[in-house]
Each structure stands twice: as C-alpha cells, then as structure tokens.
Amino acid sequence: MITLLDENFSQINQFLSEKSFSKIFILVDENTHEYCLPILLGNLETEISFEILEVEPGEEMKNIQTANHLWEILTEMQADRKALIINLGGGVITDMGGFVASTYKRGIQFINIPTTLLSMCDASIGGKTGIDLMHYKNMVGTFSFPEQIYVYTKFLDTLPANELKSGFAEMLKHGLIADKKHWEDLIQLNDVDVLGVESFIAKSMEIKQEVVNADFHEKNVRKTLNFGHTIGHAIESLCLQNQNPILHGEAVALGMICESHLSYLESLISKEDSDLIVENIQRYFSFINLSDFKDEEIFNLLLNDKKNTDEKINFSLLSGIGSCVFDHECNTDNIKKSLDFYKELSGF
C-alpha cells in the first residue's frame, strides 16, 4: 500500500492504467498547487480527464464548511462512484480529502500523495480521515483506507523548517512508543533537515503501518499512537480557538513532554527516563506559552477527547523508552502537575 515513487512516477501511472476510473480529482491547497502539483502533472501519464480542486491552507480550513464546498463541487462536476480523488498535500489535505472521498456517494476511491514529513510518516497512513468540529480536533471522520499511498521524498525540499520539525515530532513519538533504537537514532541528529531525516522515514512509516495493521479500528494497541496527543490536541484546539494556530507537531512535542512527565508521576517510567526524553525533545522544539490558558479550559478539552469513556480521561503513556500502555486513567492532580511542569520549564 505504501510505495516510494521513482523519478518518473511510474508506479502511479501503472496504477491508473490498470484501473478504469471515470475521472480524477486532484485535491491541493495553495502551497501544494504551486510547489508540488507541477511535478505530479509533469510525470502523470493517463488519458483519464482530471480536475484540480484547491482549498486554502491551514488547520482552520479543515471543517464541515470546506468539506461541504468540496462535495458540492464534486456534485456539480458529476463525479460518479468510479471517480478517484488524489490527495496531494500534508495532513490537512489527506485527512479532509479522505473524509470527503469516503463519504461522497457513500464512498469513492482515493489515494494519498503526502507532501510533508508529518503526512508521510503519520497522517496519510492508517485510514483515519476527519475534519475538526468547532475547535475540537478530528471529531468527525471515518476509518477508510486509501487505495494507495505514494511517497516522493523530494517534496520535502519545498518545506519550511518548522513544517519539517512538525513531522519530526511524530517520528520521535514512533520511537518512544514502539522502537527504542529508532528513538536513539533520531536523537543523534543535531539538526532537523531533509538530509538528516530522509533515511529514517521508511522506518517511521513501517512502525505506524504495523500498529495500524494490528488494530485498524483503534480498539486497543492503535491507541498507543495517541501518546503526546491527549494534552497536545487540547492545546492545539485552544490555540485554534484563539485564532493563533500552532503546527500539529509543535502541539505533539508539548504533549510528549507533559505526558512523559505524567508517565513518571504515574510510576510507569523512571525519572531518569522521563528527564532524558524531555531534554531531547527540548533540543528540537521551542516552548509554547500556556499562560493564557486556564487549567479548567484544558481539562474541559481533555474530557472531550475521543479516547475517553464514562467521563474518565484516558491516556496512552510510556512504560519505557520504546513501549507504551493505553487506556490508562490518570490521577487528576498528576495531570495538573504535568502541565505545571511544562510551564515551569518554559518560563512563561
């Protein structure tokens, strides 16, 4: 399902030649339209007619209004159930494009061509699609696998440094929850650049895919992929609500610092391991100012997390470097202490 593309994109062309799609719709945002679409179109060899669907970039556009707009366009263009959507972009495009495809006429086929490190290593893999509801992350969505995922790592050359780091956070997470050596290899990097991370992308994709294969509908072990995301999503949602959005990976890095310390407070890992993890994440990511957010606001969002049941806040926490437990109900005082720990570290 995951294919590394050659220079001529021959794998996509072969896929299209073997299918009988009625029409192709290529979903892009303004950035991938400018930097990535010309590369795709320059290598695309097919007689199937296609249309370009463009949306504005940013998490704030991943909502029901944008999805509805895309459904309307597909309807106006008479897209049938044999149409194909190609999602060319980062996590927002693959999340939303997959959601639109999996719901339009009860489901049409789609493929993902991730253009960011975050999307390559995480968002495009696993069949989770979704949009945000109000300011809650990914509250509406489906489980729906893309037909194919095609990865062209040279798209990373178009990324600004902060976007590259955003994806690196998910790579660090993969190592922390499932592969100690992957974590140790990644923290040897002095800087997060394309040359440094490129050789580790395949391993990160492999870790994510193995977890998904074991538990597609997130009933058990797939929940470990949410490490760093419970607190991270809450802060990301608050920043979005304040119209000061942060990148997903920045929120996950914050979440991993808090939840590593929380793992220690819950007696799951040693203080030594917690400190080691926190120190290394700090090396790559700047602190986010939480002083504008009240604890009650954060806890309200934590209570609305999708993993919760019976109004209990469930976390995926580390049981060691390279291992993770899920559905761990935390002491409320310890959650607050983990947030205070981050605030003290940041100095805000």
Side-chain angles (χ1 to χ4, degrees), residues 24-28 33 37 41 50-54 77:
I24 297 171
F25 295 87
I26 305 174
L27 179 63
V28 295
H33 194 161
L37 183 61
L41 295 183
F50 64 86
E51 297 284 350
I52 310 301
L53 309 178
E54 181 182 319
M77 292 185 171

Side-chain angles (χ1 to χ4, degrees), residues 142-160:
T142 63
F143 287 99
S144 183
F145 272 130
E147 296 300 306
Q148 298 286 334
I149 302 167
Y150 293 110
V151 175
Y152 185 62
T153 57
K154 288 190 177 180
F155 281 143
L156 297 178
D157 293 333
T158 68
L159 286 184

Side-chain angles (χ1 to χ4, degrees), residues 32-79:
T32 54
H33 194 161
E34 180 177 356
Y35 297 108
C36 304
L37 183 61
I39 298 171
L40 173 62
L41 295 183
N43 289 285
L44 204 60
E45 296 176 2
T46 181
E47 295 181 359
I48 305 169
S49 63
F50 64 86
E51 297 284 350
I52 310 301
L53 309 178
E54 181 182 319
V55 297
E56 294 180 35
E59 182 74 26
E60 56 270 33
M61 299 306 298
K62 199 174 84 174
N63 54 45
I64 191 66
Q65 289 80 14
T66 306
N68 189 65
H69 179 61
L70 292 170
W71 287 321
E72 289 177 352
I73 292 174
L74 290 171
T75 303
E76 288 168 2
M77 292 185 171
Q78 298 182 330

